[in-house]
């Protein structure tokens, strides 16, 4: 019997997102599930009850009735104590849980014999897990919205303009942290025409910053900043001091600062001090995306936008909810992809396979048993080391040293044999043939050297490109189809081989193009 997926209305104040949208409801039903939605659950995300009904969902009045009717509950916000009380005994919850920060919630869910999949615990280093990575999709929305909030609070254009009334310089934006949210902010600010600078403790993101139109500002202190799971690590005091000096310099120069530095489970590091805020130009803006965990700025007030020392400090904690429709659609798609992994048989029944690394990482409670934290990921077997090539010994009986690819003596012998062969063929041939034969030999030599020096990975594209050369050979062969017997048969052979090469090249090219078609 197929299971019912329930989507309740979010109860956290200010949360406008919904765990699934009508477009995804249709896909869940195709997997064999029934879908129930609490009345009004999607109103704040522009998803009406009517659209859910049209997609095939059942609309249920009241949270208690929705939870009672659901085998699996899709959530956005962390479940409250009241919601856990409504959960069926042995039910399943999928959504944001943050098990390290909510030990009491974990115990409550365990007492319900629940199975809980925390989307925030997804092993993000697995490439196939990217389609389920809700943290990334929501961070991208938040980074975009941070720039929109900054533009709303800023008193000028982002892009530079020259008008009849005067010249307007472009805004200067500094992004502290180039993770997913930071990169989204960089791309958005650059797209609006601002001069964008960014910094991150992970040096490897510098190329990504530049590719999005920003300038990477390096801290003059050598230390590796990459942490586990795609996050940055906590840096040393020496690095932090050098970083603060760089931030202080940027604060005096830029118009907008957007901070994104946050490591899950830890308080937000203080990057922007009160002194830095005082040094900023009047009318400047700071958007603190880490406000929920205390903020990267000392003067941030979580949930509010305040003005301190002439600088607007935006500390909103609901940036994703301010784009509720977009963030809900992305989140719903993440949960659908996870559901696909749980229900590969498409019969409306989920299988929490603990042998699957992605599912094992997500599962923090199974049938009431706490399974968090997950074991360390299985080490990937290293590829077998290539066997060392045996040294090539000189045939002349040297001292065990590797010989050159071709000695001068062997080259001389090869050219001597070629010259004798050329003389033998040309001694009895007419002058016209000898001239054509010389060109033919030289063409073969040059062509061989060109093809031989091409990287093997490019041989297939090279075959496709050389169809034009093959056409010239075909024309030459057609010209030689004369009355003379052996010349005619040589031309026929050349024409046949060229045709194979030409048609084969076109076939390979067609197959390569088909690889890029959906």
């Amino acid at each position: 019997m197929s299971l019912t997926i329930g989507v309740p209305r979010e109860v956290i104040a200010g949360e406008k997102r919904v765990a699934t949208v009508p477009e995804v409801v249709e896909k869940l039903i195709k997997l064999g599930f029934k879908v129930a939605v609490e009345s009004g659950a999607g109103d704040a995300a522009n998803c009406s009850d009517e659209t859910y009904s049209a997609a095939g969902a059942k609309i249920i009045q009241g949270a208690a009735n929705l939870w009672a009717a659901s085998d699996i509950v899709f959530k956005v916000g962390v479940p409250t104590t009241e919601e856990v009380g409504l959960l069926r005994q042995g039910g399943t919850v999928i959504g944001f849980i943050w098990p390290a920060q909510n030990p009491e919630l974990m115990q409550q869910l365990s007492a319900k014999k629940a199975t809980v999949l925390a989307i925030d615990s997804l092993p993000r280093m697995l490439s196939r897990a990217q389609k389920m990575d809700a943290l990334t999709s929501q961070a991208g929305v938040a980074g975009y919205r941070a720039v929109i909030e900054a533009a709303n609070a800023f008193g000028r254009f982002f892009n530079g303009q020259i008008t009849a009334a005067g010249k307007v310089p472009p805004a200067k934006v500094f992004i502290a942290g180039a993770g997913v949210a930071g990169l989204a902010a960089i791309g958005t600010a650059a797209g609006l025409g601002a001069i964008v600078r960014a910094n991150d403790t992970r040096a490897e993101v510098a190329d990504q910053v530049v590719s999005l139109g920003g300038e990477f500002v390096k801290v003059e202190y050598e230390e590796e900043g990459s942490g586990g799971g795609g996050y940055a690590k906590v840096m040393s005091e020496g690095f932090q001091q050098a970083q603060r000096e760089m931030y202080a310099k940027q604060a005096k120069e830029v118009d907008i600062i957007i901070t994104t530095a946050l490591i899950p489970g830890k308080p937000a590091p203080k990057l922007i001090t009160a002194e830095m805020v005082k040094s900023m130009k009047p009318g400047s803006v700071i958007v603190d995306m880490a406000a929920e965990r205390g903020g990267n700025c000392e003067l941030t007030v979580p949930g509010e936008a305040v003005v301190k020392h002439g600088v607007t400090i935006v500390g909103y904690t609901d940036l994703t909810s301010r784009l509720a429709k977009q963030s809900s659609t992305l989140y719903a798609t993440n949960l659908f992809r996870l559901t696909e992994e749980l229900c590969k048989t498409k019969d409306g029944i989920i299988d929490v396979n603990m042998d699957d690394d992605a599912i094992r990482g997500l599962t923090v409670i199974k049938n009431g048993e706490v399974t968090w934290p997950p074991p360390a990921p299985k080490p990937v077997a290293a590829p077998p080391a290539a066997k060392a090539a045996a040294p090539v010994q000189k045939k002349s009986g040297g001292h065990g040293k590797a010989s050159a690819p071709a000695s001068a003596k062997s080259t001389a012998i090869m050219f001597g044999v070629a010259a004798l062969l050329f003389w033998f063929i040309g001694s009895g041939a007419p002058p016209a043939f000898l001239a054509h034969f010389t060109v033919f030999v030289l063409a073969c030599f040059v062509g061989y050297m060109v093809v031989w020096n091409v990287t093997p990975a490019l041989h297939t594209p090279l075959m496709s490109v050389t169809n034009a050369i093959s056409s010239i050979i075909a024309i030459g062969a057609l010209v030689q189809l004369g009355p003379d017997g052996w010349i005619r048969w040589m031309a026929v052979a050349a024409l046949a081989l060229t045709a194979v090469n030409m048609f084969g090249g076109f076939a390979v090219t067609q197959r390569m193009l088909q690889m890029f078609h959906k």
Side-chain angles (χ1 to χ4, degrees):
M1 182 177 179
S2 61
L3 302 178
T4 298
I5 295 174
V7 182
R9 181 200 290 252
E10 297 298 324
V11 297
I12 298 175
E15 182 58 78
K16 299 178 181 179
R17 291 173 293 175
V18 63
T20 198
V21 295
E23 297 84 354
V24 175
V25 167
E26 297 176 354
K27 298 177 182 179
L28 292 171
I29 292 174
K30 288 180 180 178
L31 286 179
F33 294 96
K34 300 174 184 176
V35 181
V37 180
E38 182 182 351
S39 179
D43 287 350
N46 297 321
C47 298
S48 65
D49 291 349
E50 291 74 18
T51 58
Y52 280 114
S53 295
K58 180 181 179 181
I59 305 300
I60 296 180
Q61 298 291 333
N65 295 329
L66 184 283
W67 284 79
S70 304
D71 302 296
I72 305 168
V73 176
F74 281 2
K75 280 280 295 170
V76 178
V78 176
T80 64
T81 301
E82 292 75 16
E83 287 179 317
V84 175
L86 298 175
L87 177 66
R88 275 185 180 183
Q89 194 76 6
T92 300
V93 178
I94 302 177
F96 286 105
I97 302 297
W98 303 107
Q101 290 81 44
N102 298 291
E104 294 183 3
L105 172 64
M106 293 285 288
Q107 292 302 319
Q108 293 168 3
L109 290 167
S110 176
K112 279 279 190 175
K113 301 298 181 183
T115 296
V116 182
L117 280 73
I119 200 71
D120 47 87
S121 297
L122 179 74
R124 303 171 76 187
M125 71 289 296
L126 299 176
S127 58
R128 71 182 187 86
Q130 293 178 3
K131 62 185 178 181
M132 303 178 275
D133 191 356
L135 287 174
T136 294
S137 66
Q138 301 304 290
V141 173
Y144 173 88
R145 184 68 192 195
V147 177
I148 302 304
E149 295 294 339
N152 180 60
F154 189 49
R156 290 197 285 108
F157 297 131
F158 260 50
N159 63 327
Q161 294 189 17
I162 298 177
T163 69
K167 181 179 179 181
V168 180
K172 295 180 180 178
V173 180
F174 178 71
I175 314 290
V180 176
L183 292 172
I186 291 167
T188 305
L192 290 174
I195 297 173
V196 184
R197 303 169 185 169
N199 167 261
D200 196 279
T201 56
R202 298 159 292 185
E204 64 267 20
V205 304
D207 290 339
Q208 300 176 40
V209 171
V210 173
S211 69
L212 289 170
E215 173 193 350
F216 188 78
V217 182
K218 192 174 183 298
V219 176
E220 297 301 326
Y221 193 98
E222 293 299 328
E223 183 176 349
E224 175 55 44
S226 295
Y231 297 102
K233 71 175 185 180
V234 177
M235 307 301 286
S236 67
E237 181 56 37
F239 181 92
Q240 292 180 32
Q241 178 59 34
Q243 187 182 54
R244 283 191 290 268
E245 293 174 0
M246 184 270 290
Y247 284 163
K249 179 181 178 182
Q250 293 297 321
K252 295 177 182 178
E253 297 178 3
V254 302
D255 304 298
I256 296 168
I257 296 178
I258 298 176
T259 65
T260 70
L262 186 63
I263 299 175
K266 299 178 186 278
K270 300 300 180 185
L271 305 179
I272 308 299
T273 64
E275 290 299 320
M276 295 180 194
V277 176
K278 290 180 182 178
S279 70
M280 296 181 73
K281 293 173 282 189
S284 298
V285 178
I286 297 175
V287 179
D288 194 339
M289 295 185 64
E292 189 174 4
R293 299 291 297 175
N296 297 137
C297 178
E298 288 183 347
L299 303 180
T300 295
V301 178
E304 299 181 21
V306 296
V307 178
K308 300 288 182 70
H309 307 295
V311 177
T312 302
I313 304 172
V314 179
Y316 297 147
T317 58
D318 60 345
L319 291 173
T320 49
S321 283
R322 290 170 180 259
L323 283 173
K325 176 65 175 179
Q326 182 68 77
S327 53
S328 296
T329 301
L330 295 175
Y331 183 67
T333 302
N334 294 141
L335 294 190
F336 167 69
R337 296 302 180 189
L338 170 58
T339 308
E340 280 185 320
E341 293 295 316
L342 295 170
C343 182
K344 294 183 178 179
T345 54
K346 298 183 179 181
D347 58 357
I349 305 294
I350 63 171
D351 175 24
V352 182
N353 181 11
M354 300 297 271
D355 293 327
D356 185 312
D357 288 341
I359 302 303
R360 176 62 187 88
L362 283 165
T363 307
V364 295
I365 301 176
K366 185 174 183 182
N367 299 327
E369 180 185 353
V370 176
T371 58
W372 186 89
K378 299 174 184 177
V380 180
K387 294 182 180 180
V392 181
Q393 304 294 329
K394 287 186 176 180
K395 292 184 179 180
S396 57
H399 303 287
K401 297 180 181 179
S403 65
S407 65
K409 183 178 180 180
S410 61
T411 302
I413 293 174
M414 182 180 67
F415 274 99
V417 172
L420 287 174
L421 183 62
F422 186 77
W423 175 82
F424 176 77
I425 295 175
S427 60
F433 172 80
L434 189 59
H436 290 304
F437 185 70
T438 302
V439 174
F440 173 75
V441 171
L442 291 175
C444 290
F445 176 76
V446 173
Y448 172 79
M449 295 304 295
V450 169
V451 174
W452 186 258
N453 288 311
V454 171
T455 304
L458 298 178
H459 280 168
T460 299
L462 180 67
M463 185 171 65
S464 300
V465 172
T466 52
N467 281 331
I469 300 176
S470 299
S471 301
I472 297 174
I473 297 174
I475 293 173
L478 290 172
V479 172
Q480 296 299 323
L481 289 175
D484 190 277
W486 68 276
I487 294 179
R488 181 176 61 221
W489 288 113
M490 285 184 65
V492 169
L495 189 61
L497 293 175
T498 304
V500 171
N501 183 55
M502 290 172 60
F503 287 104
F506 282 119
V508 170
T509 302
Q510 186 64 24
R511 290 188 63 182
M512 291 175 65
L513 292 175
Q514 290 296 330
M515 293 171 60
F516 298 96
H517 291 170
K518 291 184 178 181

